[in-house]
Amino acid sequence: SYDHEEQLASRNDLSYETALSVAGGSEATRYFASGLWKNDAGIIDNTGFQKQALRVNLDQTISSRFNVSFGTSFMHTLAQRGLTNNDNSGTSFFMVLPFTPSFVDLGRNPDGTFKLNPFIESNPLQTAALMTNDEDVWRFVGTARASWEMVRTDAHRIQLIGNGGVDYFAQENELLFPTELQFEPADGQPGSSLLSNSDNVNYNVNANAVYTYSPPSGGITA
């Protein structure tokens, strides 16, 4: 009897997360910065998740009527996704195990190759060890804001406010299935490879004029 699930998901590598932040400033200048480094080790071969992130914010008062602020956020993630989703082709790990009796030996042969699964078209131990399914994502978000109090009296106030931002996103997915995999067709080709790339950039800019009226005698403010 073999515990196929234990054989498949028996990794216990160390996971870690390190975060650091700093904030401070003066009456005119205020800042905040933070960084993150994270690694989640997967329990199945060729699975896991890594993340690096950096964030910086800055507020600056130029004068009593003019101030600006900036914000940036940078993130990079790398996900090794394995093959744990549902499917109708008998290739995903947990769609194969229910159809494989526990008396079937799916381990390696003396020469390092994997035994064939006689009950369904793939060996999940072989698939986990040889295939890769990696997702690489980069993202940057930046914002800026400026505020100028153009008019300021006891009764009237006019403020000009400008905002802008950019959001950049790029993703690459790379999947590789070598020809040794049991479910790969015997067509003389060196396996299957899939590569996809996508990216997107969004911009947002707006400007507003805000007028405030305060009657000298008090009452409703417009």
Side-chain angles (χ1 to χ4, degrees):
S1 179
Y2 299 90
D3 188 339
H4 297 141
E5 191 167 7
E6 171 66 22
Q7 292 176 307
L8 176 67
S10 60
R11 287 179 57 193
N12 57 358
D13 296 349
L14 181 67
S15 297
Y16 61 83
E17 179 176 328
T18 303
L20 176 67
S21 65
V22 58
S26 62
E27 185 176 347
T29 304
R30 296 165 300 280
Y31 62 85
F32 172 81
S34 66
L36 173 72
W37 187 288
K38 180 178 182 179
N39 180 67
D40 288 333
I43 60 174
I44 300 175
D45 286 343
N46 290 312
T47 64
F49 178 78
Q50 299 180 42
K51 179 180 180 180
Q52 302 90 43
L54 178 66
R55 179 181 176 187
V56 178
N57 294 337
L58 175 65
D59 295 308
Q60 179 67 49
T61 300
I62 307 298
S63 68
S64 61
R65 295 192 179 190
F66 183 55
N67 63 77
V68 295
S69 62
F70 302 94
T72 60
S73 177
F74 168 81
M75 181 182 67
H76 173 232
T77 62
L78 177 61
Q80 296 175 285
R81 297 191 173 277
L83 199 63
T84 57
N85 55 304
N86 295 330
D87 72 78
N88 296 317
S89 60
T91 55
S92 181
F93 308 145
F94 297 102
M95 297 302 293
V96 174
L97 293 180
F99 300 96
T100 306
S102 60
F103 59 79
V104 176
D105 182 7
L106 298 177
R108 291 181 182 269
N109 295 308
D111 60 359
T113 61
F114 282 87
K115 296 178 174 62
L116 297 180
N117 188 344
F119 288 89
I120 198 168
E121 52 270 25
S122 70
N123 178 340
L125 304 185
Q126 181 195 51
T127 305
L130 301 183
M131 70 150 286
T132 57
N133 179 8
D134 296 341
E135 180 181 273
D136 197 358
V137 175
W138 298 82
R139 189 168 190 182
F140 172 80
V141 177
T143 61
R145 183 181 188 274
S147 175
W148 177 39
E149 198 170 33
M150 185 174 62
V151 175
R152 182 171 60 188
T153 66
D154 291 339
H156 306 278
R157 183 184 179 194
I158 299 178
Q159 191 177 27
L160 302 181
I161 302 173
N163 292 282
V166 59
D167 185 350
Y168 171 74
F169 172 87
Q171 177 175 320
E172 178 182 279
N173 291 81
E174 183 176 0
L175 293 84
L176 177 63
F177 302 90
T179 188
E180 295 88 350
L181 292 175
Q182 182 177 338
F183 59 81
E184 274 294 302
D187 54 8
Q189 300 298 319
S192 300
S193 178
L194 297 89
L195 178 65
S196 68
N197 289 277
S198 60
D199 59 81
N200 183 70
V201 181
N202 292 319
Y203 298 96
N204 190 331
V205 178
N206 66 76
N208 300 278
V210 181
Y211 170 68
T212 304
Y213 173 66
S214 301
S217 60
I220 298 176
T221 299

